[in-house]
Amino acid sequence: MLTTAMAFGQEIKFLDITKLDPSSGLSSSNVRSIIQDRYGFMWFATQEGLDRFDGTSFLHFNPGAQDSRRIIEGSDVFDLSPDSSGQCIWALTAYGGLNRICLETCTVLGRYPLSPGIPGKANLWSKCMQVTGNRVFVGTDEGLLLDFDKRTAHAKMLLNLSTRPGRKGPIDKIWLDSKGQLWLFISGAGISVIDTVGFRERAFLSLQALGLPSSDGFQFTGYTLLKDQLFIGSTSGLAIVSPNDLSVITKTVRALPPDLITGEIRALSAGGNRLLICGRQSFVLMDPDTQTSHRILLSRNVEDKDWVSLANCLYQSGESIWVGSQYGVGCIRNIHTAFTGYYSSMDGNGVKINHGTTLCKIDDSISVVCADDGIYRVNEASGFITRIGSSPDFFYEAFRAPGNYFIASSIHNGLQLYDLSGHSRSLLKVFPELAPIRGDLLIGDARLNDSVIFLASQNQRGIYIWNTVEHTVQTANTESGPFRLKSNVINRLYFDSRRQLWIVGDNSISICHPFFGSIRHLDLLNPVNHRPLSINMDICQVGSSYYITSYGTGIVRLDSSYHIARIYGLGEGVNNLGLYKIFPVNDSMVMASSNNGLSLLQPGSNRIINYFGEDGLQSDNFEEASGASYKDFLLFGGIRGYTRINRKALLAAAEDPMLYFSSVEMQYENSVADTFNIRLKQLVVPHSVLQVSIGYSALNYLRPKRLVFRYRIKELNEAWISNGNRRSVLLLGLSPGSYTLQLQAANEGFPFNEANTLELTLKYLPKWYQTIWFKLAIGLLLAGILYSFFLMRLNQLKRQQQIRREIAGDLHDDLGATLNSIKLLTHIAQRSIPGQQQLEQIEASVSTAIAGLRDVLWVLDDSGDTFYHLQERIKRFTHPLALENNIRMEWLLDEELSSRRMSKKEKKNLLLIAKEAFNNALKHAACTSITISLSVVHDKPCLAIADNGKGFNTSALSEGYGLKNIRYRAEQIGYIANIISAQGEGTTVTVIHR
């Protein structure tokens, strides 16, 4: 891995561990078993229930789960196993029984207590199981072997080891070999190999045969098969057996440290060609083929060794290692990680680097760390940290000096000299030329060659040029020296590939040619605010470009002409603008430290990857001057020590995360409904749902919190919507119809892979008034209404046409006849002498014609369509004639009827009926009084014309043309005509609406 050294005959690998405990969501700190399902999710068996983990969040299964779908039988989960179908897992609880859980829906499909049905054996302590076909074999602490039939959900007892001599003891583990034989690992006894047909013992391997010393409390702690070798862990050491011939193998054992051969083995696991063994004192990664092993030390915190010394189980998944212990779950995310953190000494001496200020690399394995409370020597091969000197001081800078020395600069004691072993030496005796600057505080150094070193003063005294061969020290500052500085505030000295000295300060960047004594001051303006770059912290060169960390601005790239080519800030992906040190990673990338993590910049693709404590850094907080570059490694320091980075391992290919839709939550007006299915492909959304939240899981255990997501609804927008690190999509306001939700995930700093797109079909159901049937019904209704209006209009036009024809007929019959009479009378008047009589007749005829025309115009006038206007028209006709004939007239109008409107046909015919009845009374009744009334009878209009004339016998006389005409006109408008008359009693003509 990162750091290798020979320790106890083994190469050491420093690996970082990420801890999961109840504070992070784990059900219990005591974890007994770990497996990974076919979809990539991790399952943890704990003392307080079963947990499923996707890298960031947990699903919990226990007897008291609020969600009834996740209630299990018993809480102390001792063992886990995938079902032979691959669709479920089995969870065995100590005093509960078996639980079958669906992987797709995370629903408990069955809970099967094991105690009932076993005569005399209540409250069994189930410890282990082996799942095969339709059977589950269960071993108990009481020494019982149970056979659970999946088809009948019934358990029966196969063996009771307490009745077998030399076999009595709890069954710690069960293994089914390729021959179909069950291996029962019996505490304090050995291994019994039995067939699964007659359940007869085929062989027995005693502890003595296994080479394991018997002891009080002996237990088998685990087993794993690797290349036809069964590795068996116990409280008394490790044994290796060939399953083929049951022979014990000792060759491989000799490649392990002694404490694993005879000491307690806590857990073991096989993955690929790797064997992982965890003992109380050692954590070893072994290759049986090469007979080599590597000791694993957990970097940063020596106290983390407790996570493996109290381990219960191990699981290997790809490049990750999962440790289940009595402290929780520890995850070594990547055994090929590029990061190693150094904080506390691995020898347990209690030495810690709480706040590192600067770093100095001594050789391949030794680094010197300046800190705010002293100076430390770190052996990166062993992880041992020792403090140099005993008096506390704030050290600010350390650098290699000629010979086997390094010089450290502190606030209170100035420059101090040490040999490479960390022993103090006299500065003035070895380097007397440094006496003038001995009391100064240094902040940086740069070596021109083997004889000239440039040193920067933290106290703003400029630059010291130390010639170690000529034993001279020159000073260059703003006032004097071989070259004049623009500012005495200096943060970094750096020699580029042209041997030019870059002097980086808060408000200045200068380039000096030491051999010529010339200096050039760069005027660099921020292209965004057009202000000079300020608080410049560091610089490095990659190819023909230069990269500057400008605090508060970003990473500034200069081209070969020293002009600003680009600035990388927050918008480009830099996590924090409190930037400090910067170094080349290779010929195309740079890495910078900050107040919050490290940023890796790849200018060619403009990608930026940010790294944090969860990736293996000693912490997220770094110091402005703490950094170094040495061969294949970069070092960055700050709070809690420093991190060493392997440049070659930094950019291992990142696999696309496995992506699943997981949960759906539908919000109704007064309730919430949720569902869970990682194989969800289609979702039907009822019309009453207000909003839908769709959750998803992305599995990448290397950097689970550094995944980014984007989505789109293909039918609405082809553009992708960034969802950041959020693991759910909220949908609301979608119209009824079918949609396709597409989702993509990517590792931060890497492009999205179009081939890794997850799709979900959404079908939004319409409300009742949005259905096609309702729309069709509305369409038909509107069509019917329009058609009805059309028919009404057509009937209206027909009625109007009919009225026009009737009026035309009346005009032809009445006005035409009158005009013919006038024409005839005119001819007669022309021939007669005198023609006075004919002229009078002509005048009467013209008057009649004029009255008829006025009646026609009145009928056609829309403003006179009420019964009130009808009465007024009748008055205008009858009143002059009644006066001329001394007849008293009376007109009556019901107030309710006054403003009621009538059709034009009704208007014309009622007028003509009234005129006909009045004329009949005038000509034939010999009356002195006539009453014309318009009233309402049973809510129907009624016209009545009554006289007090002589009357007539209606039964004796046949009706004449006038009365028949009255009845005909009444029928035309839906009225009924009734004529009442008797001799000497007058006549009443009544027409009433049907």
Side-chain angles (χ1 to χ4, degrees), residues 281-568:
Q281 301 298 327
S282 298
F283 193 17
V284 173
L285 192 63
M286 174 183 170
D287 187 337
D289 289 342
T290 62
Q291 294 294 299
T292 58
S293 59
H294 300 78
R295 185 182 180 192
I296 295 175
L297 291 181
L298 300 181
S299 62
R300 298 192 289 188
N301 254 329
V302 67
E303 291 84 358
D304 289 343
K305 67 180 182 180
D306 293 340
W307 281 70
V308 294
S309 64
L310 293 177
N312 295 322
C313 57
L314 293 173
Y315 189 89
Q316 297 185 64
S317 171
E319 304 307 317
S320 300
I321 296 173
W322 299 82
V323 182
S325 78
Q326 296 178 28
Y327 289 96
V329 174
C331 178
I332 298 173
R333 298 189 186 278
N334 186 4
I335 62 172
H336 300 302
T337 180
F339 305 103
T340 301
Y342 296 93
Y343 165 56
S344 60
S345 181
M346 291 297 161
D347 61 359
N349 63 13
V351 176
K352 296 181 179 180
I353 306 171
N354 292 310
H355 186 182
T357 54
T358 55
L359 289 160
C360 175
K361 205 76 179 75
I362 301 300
D363 56 32
D364 289 350
S365 60
I366 304 298
S367 294
V368 170
V369 180
C370 294
D372 61 359
D373 61 351
I375 190 167
Y376 298 87
R377 186 176 185 270
V378 181
N379 186 322
E380 295 167 351
S382 65
F384 295 169
I385 303 174
T386 56
R387 184 187 180 104
I388 298 176
S390 57
S391 59
D393 201 349
F394 194 123
F395 283 84
Y396 224 82
E397 165 72 355
F399 62 95
R400 281 294 304 272
N404 296 321
Y405 300 102
F406 70 89
I407 296 175
S409 175
S410 69
I411 291 179
H412 299 294
N413 295 302
L415 304 186
Q416 301 175 51
L417 182 66
Y418 300 91
D419 63 24
L420 298 186
S421 298
H423 300 107
S424 178
R425 295 291 183 259
S426 172
L427 178 72
L428 296 185
K429 286 183 179 180
V430 180
F431 303 112
E433 65 271 23
L434 296 180
I437 66 170
R438 177 185 178 185
D440 201 359
L441 182 65
L442 304 181
I443 191 174
D445 66 277
R447 188 178 296 268
L448 176 62
N449 49 41
D450 291 340
S451 60
V452 179
I453 302 174
F454 289 74
L455 305 171
S457 170
Q458 169 69 8
N459 294 327
Q460 301 183 20
R461 295 175 182 174
I463 296 174
Y464 303 119
I465 307 167
W466 179 22
N467 190 315
T468 61
V469 175
E470 298 179 358
H471 304 290
T472 60
V473 176
Q474 289 181 286
T475 302
N477 51 40
T478 57
E479 298 177 354
S480 63
F483 48 84
R484 296 291 181 92
L485 302 183
K486 184 178 181 180
S487 171
N488 288 332
V489 179
I490 301 171
N491 294 323
R492 172 79 155 120
L493 299 177
Y494 174 75
F495 276 106
D496 64 16
S497 60
R498 301 178 187 176
R499 309 311 294 164
Q500 300 177 123
L501 178 66
W502 289 71
I503 306 167
V504 179
D506 275 5
N507 298 296
S508 65
I509 296 178
S510 303
I511 304 174
C512 173
H513 295 272
F515 298 106
F516 304 104
S518 62
I519 190 168
R520 173 184 177 184
H521 306 299
L522 301 182
D523 294 322
L524 300 177
L525 297 179
N526 188 325
V528 176
N529 56 25
H530 305 289
R531 295 178 181 176
L533 289 182
S534 60
I535 318 181
N536 305 303
M537 303 304 298
D538 199 2
I539 189 170
C540 72
Q541 180 184 9
V542 175
S544 59
S545 298
Y546 299 87
Y547 295 85
I548 300 169
T549 48
S550 181
Y551 194 98
T553 300
I555 301 174
V556 181
R557 181 168 70 88
L558 305 183
D559 59 24
S560 57
S561 300
Y562 314 130
H563 297 134
I564 293 179
R566 182 161 185 178
I567 297 178
Y568 299 88

Side-chain angles (χ1 to χ4, degrees), residues 197-240:
V197 179
F199 295 97
R200 291 174 297 177
E201 186 174 84
R202 294 296 186 184
F204 182 76
L205 299 175
S206 66
L207 297 184
Q208 183 179 2
L210 292 170
L212 298 174
S214 178
S215 61
D216 292 338
F218 177 95
Q219 287 185 342
F220 288 100
T221 56
Y223 65 86
T224 189
L225 182 68
L226 180 62
K227 294 186 176 182
D228 294 326
Q229 297 181 30
L230 186 66
F231 292 82
I232 303 167
S234 74
T235 54
S236 295
L238 179 70
I240 305 174

Side-chain angles (χ1 to χ4, degrees), residues 33 35 79-84 88-92 129-132:
S33 180
I35 65 169
D79 203 2
L80 298 172
S81 178
D83 188 70
S84 52
C88 306
I89 67 165
W90 291 84
L92 178 69
M129 65 177 166
Q130 179 68 53
V131 180
T132 175

